[in-house]
Amino acid sequence: MRKVIGNFKMHQTPTQTKEYLLQFMSKVDGTKNEVVLCLPATSLTTAKYMVSGSNIKLGGQNICDDDHAKTTGEISGDMLKDAGAEYVIVGHSERRTKFKENFRTNNKKIKLAFKNRLKVILCVGENLTERNTLKMLESLKIQIEESLKGIYENELERVVIAYEPIWAIGSGKLPTNKELDRAVKAIRKVITDDFSEKAGQSIQIVYGGSLDAKNVNQYLKLNTINGFLVGGSCLDPLEFATIVKEV
Ligand code: 13P
């Protein structure tokens, strides 16, 4: 079983979500894979009633890093949970770039997600400069360690690490199998060193960045990854259903 997660970013109104699910759900019925749709917060409640009883799970795309109510425009863990989310994305590079979020904010968000019984999809990945200057592994280590500071080993079962190289997001560029395998092994080593051998082996790791129904197959031979995080290609229900069924 693999995890196939869709990150809809700022796409899908509640009405569009309804239409999307009507097409998507019938196509993925019976899949053995775990499907998670990370929808805009405004679409979660609509989706909650539609996916109820199916194998499709929902996720939010952000959670506020504090839980006092006086924060205009933000969303809290209990709101996401009540709206139907089981997961929440933390630390996506778009939020790091646009809203100056960092790994310390990730850490606060992860703790608040756990407090609200949400699972976390923690995004990590190197930028092009780090890749070109061979600082990739160092960068991944810092990102993971800062984000998971103070997290207990038994909480890692509620964490999915999404390896999303920043240079691969929306660019049409993909890591080779060798590069991806190396990055995923490096992530497992960080978890092994900081927690335990068992934690390093069992942590769920998915890959994200420029995936589509045609190129996803190239990674199926890699048994080091547990699934995929899909951006642009999840917006077409038929293409996303193909990905879910093929992997
Ligand atoms: P793309 O699949 O559009 O490259 O986006 C990846 C992503 O950002 C998923 O979180």
Side-chain angles (χ1 to χ4, degrees), residues 61-80:
Q61 298 176 13
N62 180 38
I63 175 172
C64 186
D65 65 357
D66 68 53
D67 65 352
H68 61 77
K70 290 181 183 167
T71 312
T72 302
E74 281 286 343
I75 188 154
S76 65
D78 59 342
M79 288 171 183
L80 289 170

Side-chain angles (χ1 to χ4, degrees), residues 7 9 92 94 123 164 168-171 208-211 229-233:
N7 176 7
K9 306 192 180 182
H92 194 282
E94 287 156 7
C123 297
E164 293 207 307
I169 296 175
S171 66
S210 291
L211 288 169
L229 174 53
V230 182
S233 298

Side-chain angles (χ1 to χ4, degrees), residues 165-205:
I166 296 170
W167 51 268
I169 296 175
S171 66
K173 296 193 180 96
L174 291 152
T176 62
N177 280 31
K178 203 170 156 191
E179 284 173 324
L180 179 52
D181 193 45
R182 189 161 149 256
V184 173
K185 282 183 177 148
I187 293 170
R188 292 201 185 280
K189 180 162 172 8
V190 174
I191 299 293
T192 300
D193 292 347
D194 292 353
F195 294 93
S196 71
E197 180 80 36
K198 185 166 162 257
Q201 277 169 15
S202 57
I203 187 86
Q204 298 272 297
I205 303 178

